[in-house]
Amino acid sequence: MVSVDTAHRCAERAVRTRLLELQRVTGLPVVFGGAVPGGAREGRFAITAQVGTITDALSGLVIRRGRGLGGTALERGVPCRVDDYAAARAITHDYDTMVAEEKLTSIFAFPVRVEGEVRSVLYGAVRSGDPIGDRTVRQASLVASRLQADLRFPAEVPPAAVGGSPDEGADGTRRALVELADIIATTSDPRLRERLACIHREFSGASAAPEPPGDPRDAEKLTRRETDVLRLVAVGASNSEIADRLDLSVQTVKAYLRSAMRKLEVRNRTAAVHVGRAAGLL
C-alpha cells in the first residue's frame, strides 16, 4: 500500500519528467505544471515544475479550481487553450501578473485524469504571440496519456524510470496502452479510431457512465457540458475520444454537439468551434 505522501512525491517526479518530454516533442519554449493532491476535489494545486521560464513568477503558484486557465481545466477536466491570454474572455484573470512577468501570450492547460479525477495539469506556452496549433495540443495529449499511466501505478514507476527515458521501467500493458493511444491519435480512419478507442477503454479500465445532456430549452448560451465537448472537438478529438475523456456515452456526446450547433446556428462541428471561439465561449 502506497502512502498518500509517497504517491504525491512520485506524481511530482513523473510530472517533471513528462514536462521535459512535452517540451521535446512539441518544441514549445515554456512548459510547466504540477500534480493535484487528492484529485480535483482538493480544489487547488501548485505549479512545482517548469522548463524554459525566465523568472520565478510561476514557481509555487497555487492555482485554484475554476480560476484562470489551469483552474478551468482542473474544474472541467478538459484541455483549455487561449491564443491571446490577456484578451481571453472565457477565463478569469487572477494570474495575469505572473503570466505577464513571463511574457506568455498563447497557453494551453491539459488536465491528466486517473479514474475520473484530475491528478495533474500540464501547461504549454509561447511568447511569440502566435497561436498554439491543434497538432501541438494533440502531441501534448500523447504525453498526457503517458503521464496518466505513471500516475495510475505510482508504486510501479522506479526512480530510474521517472528520471530517465519515457518508457523505461513500464510494464508491457502500459507500453501497449501508450502505443495504442498513439495509433488512435494519428489514424485518419474514423471507424478504426472508434474501434481502437473502445479497446483502449476496455483495457485501461476507463468508465463510460452516461450523463444526461443539459436543458435543451436553454438556447441563450452553451451549457457547461456543451462547452466541454466543443473544447475537445477544437483539439481534434473524435466522438469516442470525447466520450472516453468525459465519461459519457458516444450518443450523449452527439446530443451535446447537436444542441451546441443548434444554439450557435451552424451545421457542423468545425463551424461550431469557430463560432464558439469568436464569441469567447471557448
Side-chain angles (χ1 to χ4, degrees):
M1 183 85 175
V2 182
S3 70
V4 173
D5 288 343
T6 299
H8 188 62
R9 286 196 296 271
C10 288
E12 292 288 8
R13 289 189 300 175
V15 168
R16 289 194 292 272
T17 296
R18 295 307 177 186
L19 282 175
L20 292 171
E21 181 186 358
L22 177 62
Q23 187 182 56
R24 184 174 67 252
V25 302
T26 63
L28 290 169
V30 186
V31 295
F32 50 100
V36 182
R41 290 171 294 182
E42 180 73 14
R44 62 182 180 177
F45 68 96
I47 294 174
T48 55
Q50 49 201 322
V51 182
T53 51
I54 56 177
T55 74
D56 293 328
L58 299 176
S59 181
L61 179 65
V62 175
I63 306 298
R64 300 187 183 278
R65 183 187 180 100
R67 315 307 296 177
L69 190 67
T72 300
L74 174 65
E75 180 178 56
R76 298 187 175 183
V78 297
C80 299
R81 172 176 53 174
V82 290
D83 291 333
D84 184 350
Y85 185 92
R89 292 181 290 170
I91 61 171
T92 69
H93 287 271
D94 300 56
Y95 312 110
D96 281 10
T97 300
M98 298 76 172
V99 171
E101 285 188 39
E102 277 295 325
K103 302 179 181 180
L104 305 180
T105 53
S106 300
I107 310 175
F108 70 75
F110 208 109
V112 179
R113 294 170 44 144
V114 178
E115 297 178 353
E117 284 286 339
V118 176
R119 295 293 181 179
S120 174
V121 178
L122 302 179
Y123 295 80
V126 299
R127 301 187 177 96
S128 62
D130 296 326
I132 296 174
D134 291 346
R135 180 180 179 183
T136 298
V137 179
R138 295 286 290 181
Q139 291 170 325
S141 74
L142 299 180
V143 176
S145 72
R146 296 182 179 110
L147 178 56
Q148 180 186 54
D150 295 339
L151 301 181
R152 188 183 296 276
F153 306 106
E156 298 179 16
V157 184
V162 173
S165 62
D167 293 316
E168 184 181 347
D171 61 30
T173 300
R174 289 171 53 201
R175 287 197 301 271
L177 286 172
V178 169
E179 291 300 321
L180 185 56
D182 288 349
I183 296 171
I184 293 170
T186 56
T187 183
S188 60
D189 185 330
R191 184 172 298 178
L192 177 60
R193 280 160 61 96
E194 185 167 352
R195 290 174 60 191
L196 292 177
C198 289
I199 295 171
H200 190 283
R201 283 198 301 273
E202 179 178 350
F203 282 93
S204 65
S207 61
E211 179 178 317
D215 188 345
R217 295 172 297 179
D218 182 10
E220 300 302 319
K221 59 181 180 180
L222 298 181
T223 66
R224 173 177 167 174
R225 270 310 196 203
E226 289 165 354
T227 302
D228 290 345
V229 168
L230 283 185
R231 286 181 188 275
L232 288 167
V233 170
V235 298
S238 67
N239 287 347
S240 61
E241 290 170 326
I242 296 170
D244 185 30
R245 188 168 294 278
L246 298 182
D247 292 334
L248 303 173
S249 71
V250 172
Q251 292 305 315
T252 300
V253 169
K254 291 179 179 179
Y256 282 130
L257 278 174
R258 287 194 298 268
S259 179
M261 289 187 291
R262 183 177 66 251
K263 292 177 182 180
L264 296 174
E265 300 181 348
V266 296
R267 296 184 177 182
N268 60 66
R269 56 201 284 148
T270 302
V273 169
H274 288 320
V275 172
R277 280 179 175 168
L281 301 175
L282 305 181

